[in-house]
Amino acid sequence: MPGKQLKCIFVTGGVVSSLGKGIAAASMGLLLKQRGLKVTLQKFDPYLNVDPGTMSPFQHGEVFVTEDGAETDLDLGHYERFIDRDLSKRNNVTTGQIYQSVMRRERRGEYLGKTVQVIPHITDEIKSRIVEASRNGEEVDVIVAEIGGTTGDIESLPFLEASRQLRLELGPENCIFVHLTLIPYIQAAKELKTKPTQHSVKGLREIGIQPDVLLCRTEVPLSKEVRQKIALFCNVSEKAVIEARDVSSIYRVPVQFRKEGLDDIIAKLLHLESSACDQSEWDAFLKRMAAVEEEVDIAVCGKYVHLRDAYKSIIEAFTHAGVINDVKVNIVWVDAEDIENHGAEYYLKEVSGVLVPGGFGERGIKGKLEAVHYARENGIPFLGICLGLQCAVIEFSRNVCRIEDADGSEFNPKTRNPVIDLMEDQRTKSDKGGTMRLGSYPCSIKPDSRAHESYGELEIGERHRHRWEVNNSYRETFEEHGLVISGTSPDNRLVEIIELKDHPFFVAVQFHPELKSRPNRPHPLFRSLVKAAKERKSASLETRGAINS
């Protein structure tokens, strides 16, 4: 029985980078889902790395890990949060993966002596990945594929060529191009300038791609005259010139696109049979977000805080958890190395919560340990993630268990007390890429623990990305001194969650809870942290009021 007709939306970008193609693609996916369609999204990254797993956060930002253990671009986080669907390794494709696959086939002789070339072999491989992603588990109605880079980049040309070919093969009624571009406003002249967009579209047309829809990033409204000019010179319908004005929250972008009629245009172009767009659930989230009046300050003590994209999912998880708790979370960014220079109290004495996120390497560890110590001793609600758990264990070992030289073997290979040590199955690994403990693993939660209270369940699944773990040789010592191991792997071999009883909220986890938070389903641990921080702030205000009276 033949499958569904493949329907594709290719999202390209022009003029400058960082215009928000990922948010635009995710917003289109959401709008189509709200019309009752089954949607998936895919990201094409033009770099030669096989995946971003070996790249510095300063180069790439956050590495988003999928349920099946793929290390992917942070845009996949936006995709999952917007369409509320778990994606997989098939949803992120890099140039490195494409060339690796083609060359493996060449080595096996599968090309039967032919000369292996970019066209057709590389482009055919790209097209096969699109079809594969559209039939991952269940067939979807539409696949939205974001092509990384900017018009004119050499690196993204194979992906653009593959998309051009696919449009020819499928027909314009099954494959369309949406181009995100910039309409700069020149303050001195008080004018919007369309020329950069014209040149960007010209670059696409030179390689055989004619955009069907233009998403125009702008700081000011587009007048009818400007829309007409863009439509005329870029060869698109005036209705397909969509204003993508700056908004206060990324979660307002789909609503703006809906007002511009983007989903109707896409449905018409692709001949999609769908119901009316139902944004009621999304609108309810936005309404509750807008109604928030109370604020709470939570410090994120990390080593990549100068590049906020390194903590993109944490930022969004705080947004979700704030809305459910009817507060706005103000993230106080604290560089772990600054704590080493000025002390934790200088940065943390006024905050209502502390989060120590993941990371790798020795730099900034001393500052993270001081942040954990300050939060533990002063009753500040605390959540440690991945490296944050490891720091919490090291700090507890030194200052409560009195194991003075306790350390992690990642930071101090010669330590006599490696309370955090390399996992047994990691000792034989030589390659760095894709060899960590990656993806979703089950966790058994101890009844009547903080973790149990947060999740409301005794069996959960969370996504991991690590090589080091709590050293089981010290577990008995930890528990004797009051550390609660409230979550482990089902076989009890790996520590997944630790917490303290006599503390308002002190929980640390080896996994990355931020990766599974959604607007309509805030992650339980972030929800609990924000709730505890809100309560601490309220108690502090009451105390101050009593003193002043």
Side-chain angles (χ1 to χ4, degrees):
M1 186 175 178
K4 290 182 180 179
Q5 172 61 57
L6 179 61
K7 302 275 187 178
C8 293
I9 302 171
F10 289 106
V11 182
T12 60
V15 185
V16 295
S17 59
S18 301
L19 284 180
K21 289 196 303 296
I23 299 297
S27 297
M28 282 183 271
L30 174 63
L31 289 174
L32 295 175
K33 180 188 175 185
Q34 289 171 340
R35 294 179 70 114
L37 297 166
K38 292 181 180 178
V39 183
T40 194
L41 293 102
Q42 190 173 38
K43 175 69 183 288
F44 294 122
D45 277 312
Y47 48 71
L48 284 171
N49 303 67
V50 173
D51 58 49
T54 57
M55 296 170 71
S56 163
F58 291 115
Q59 287 277 312
H60 184 270
E62 173 187 77
V63 174
F64 187 84
V65 180
T66 58
E67 287 283 298
D68 62 351
E71 294 174 292
T72 71
D73 186 78
L74 62 82
D75 278 325
L76 265 77
H78 292 310
Y79 300 166
E80 284 201 358
R81 287 187 285 270
F82 274 59
I83 67 171
D84 194 16
R85 175 177 177 171
D86 291 337
L87 302 180
S88 75
K89 61 184 179 182
R90 294 178 178 85
N91 296 90
N92 194 194
V93 179
T94 69
T95 296
Q97 291 172 12
I98 296 296
Y99 274 84
Q100 185 181 67
S101 177
V102 169
M103 295 316 298
R104 281 175 179 165
R105 290 179 180 175
E106 186 275 334
R107 291 290 83 188
R108 292 195 296 263
E110 292 184 18
Y111 293 111
L112 304 176
K114 293 179 181 178
T115 301
V116 179
Q117 298 176 295
V118 173
I119 303 173
H121 302 102
I122 296 298
T123 52
D124 282 352
E125 179 67 17
I126 293 169
K127 287 185 288 184
S128 73
R129 299 295 181 100
I130 297 169
V131 174
E132 186 179 7
S134 71
R135 295 172 182 169
N136 182 19
E138 60 174 350
E139 290 190 357
V140 299
D141 297 306
V142 184
I143 179 167
V144 183
E146 176 193 348
I147 300 177
T150 307
T151 301
D153 292 348
I154 294 173
E155 293 89 347
S156 57
L157 282 175
F159 293 109
L160 291 170
E161 170 60 21
S163 63
R164 183 195 68 82
Q165 292 178 17
L166 200 59
R167 181 180 172 107
L168 281 177
E169 295 167 13
L170 298 178
E173 71 280 5
N174 296 312
C175 184
I176 65 171
F177 287 90
V178 177
H179 189 57
L180 180 65
T181 183
L182 177 69
I183 309 293
Y185 180 73
I186 308 302
Q187 186 66 39
K190 306 293 183 186
E191 279 187 310
L192 285 167
K193 292 296 182 181
T194 65
K195 192 64 70 177
T197 293
Q198 294 177 42
H199 281 292
S200 180
V201 172
K202 178 183 176 184
L204 282 176
R205 293 170 71 180
E206 286 174 350
I207 58 175
I209 294 174
Q210 168 62 55
D212 300 282
V213 180
L214 294 178
L215 303 180
C216 302
R217 282 298 304 272
T218 174
E219 297 176 0
V220 299
L222 299 180
S223 66
K224 182 172 179 62
E225 291 75 16
V226 169
R227 290 181 193 247
Q228 289 175 335
K229 184 177 181 181
I230 293 171
L232 177 63
F233 285 98
C234 295
N235 196 34
V236 299
S237 164
E238 185 183 335
K239 289 183 179 179
V241 178
I242 304 297
E243 181 181 284
R245 208 184 327 166
D246 295 350
V247 288
S248 58
S249 166
I250 59 172
Y251 300 109
R252 297 193 177 279
V253 174
V255 177
Q256 183 190 52
F257 284 172
R258 177 72 187 96
K259 289 179 180 177
E260 289 281 306
L262 178 59
D263 57 311
D264 290 329
I265 293 168
I266 291 173
K268 184 177 181 180
L269 288 170
L270 289 176
H271 301 275
L272 294 169
E273 294 182 7
S274 61
S275 58
C277 189
D278 180 7
Q279 286 194 318
S280 56
E281 184 179 6
W282 200 260
D283 288 341
F285 169 75
L286 292 176
K287 184 177 180 180
R288 190 165 182 177
M289 180 191 289
V292 167
E293 295 181 353
E294 188 177 345
E295 299 184 1
V296 65
D297 295 339
I298 297 179
V300 172
C301 177
K303 54 200 294 184
Y304 315 117
V305 296
H306 300 295
L307 180 69
R308 305 293 161 77
D309 275 357
Y311 303 111
K312 178 56 72 176
S313 289
I314 287 175
I315 295 170
E316 300 310 321
F318 271 132
T319 298
H320 310 155
V323 171
I324 201 69
N325 281 288
D326 296 314
V327 295
K328 177 186 177 184
V329 177
N330 295 322
I331 298 177
V332 179
W333 297 99
V334 180
D335 191 316
E337 290 184 287
D338 288 340
I339 289 182
E340 295 176 9
N341 297 325
H342 302 287
E345 183 178 9
Y346 181 81
Y347 295 99
L348 304 180
K349 63 181 179 180
E350 297 295 333
V351 302
S352 300
V354 174
L355 183 146
V356 174
F360 296 92
E362 185 180 2
R363 183 178 66 82
I365 293 300
K366 182 181 176 183
K368 289 194 173 193
L369 291 173
E370 288 188 38
V372 174
H373 180 74
Y374 188 84
R376 181 178 62 79
E377 291 249 303
N378 291 277
I380 303 174
F382 168 82
L383 176 62
I385 294 175
C386 196
L387 178 59
L389 173 139
Q390 296 169 14
C391 287
V393 168
I394 294 170
E395 190 278 331
F396 189 86
S397 301
R398 292 178 183 178
N399 299 312
V400 179
C401 301
R402 299 301 176 188
I403 308 173
E404 293 184 3
D405 62 342
D407 216 329
S409 58
E410 179 186 7
F411 323 122
N412 181 8
K414 296 181 180 179
T415 181
R416 291 178 300 161
N417 287 290
V419 294
I420 301 295
D421 206 2
L422 192 64
M423 296 175 68
E424 193 62 38
D425 62 358
Q426 290 289 321
R427 298 181 187 278
T428 58
K429 308 277 185 176
S430 56
D431 287 353
K432 299 296 184 184
T435 57
M436 285 187 275
R437 187 179 184 226
L438 293 166
S440 183
Y441 287 88
C443 171
S444 297
I445 293 179
K446 188 174 182 178
D448 302 319
S449 61
R450 288 276 190 187
H452 184 205
E453 181 184 344
S454 294
Y455 280 98
E457 299 178 51
L458 295 176
E459 299 293 332
I460 61 168
E462 292 283 4
R463 302 181 192 180
H464 295 68
R465 185 176 183 250
H466 62 105
R467 297 184 193 278
W468 278 266
E469 251 286 359
V470 175
N471 189 332
N472 286 327
S473 301
Y474 297 85
R475 280 172 65 168
E476 187 175 335
T477 302
F478 297 155
E479 291 179 310
E480 287 174 354
H481 286 82
L483 188 72
V484 178
I485 296 175
S486 58
T488 65
S489 56
D491 59 9
N492 201 38
R493 288 180 55 248
L494 301 174
V495 173
E496 297 280 28
I497 309 174
I498 64 167
E499 58 186 67
L500 296 176
K501 281 185 179 178
D502 300 324
H503 193 283
F505 185 84
F506 190 101
V507 176
V509 297
Q510 187 56 70
F511 44 81
H512 287 267
E514 71 274 19
L515 301 179
K516 297 185 74 169
S517 186
R518 308 279 169 85
N520 59 331
R521 287 185 289 109
H523 193 279
L525 293 177
F526 276 84
R527 185 183 61 213
S528 295
L529 173 64
V530 174
K531 180 176 183 289
K534 180 181 178 181
E535 290 171 352
R536 176 181 174 82
K537 181 183 177 182
S538 296
S540 177
L541 291 174
E542 288 176 8
T543 301
R544 291 177 187 176
I547 293 173
N548 292 333
S549 62

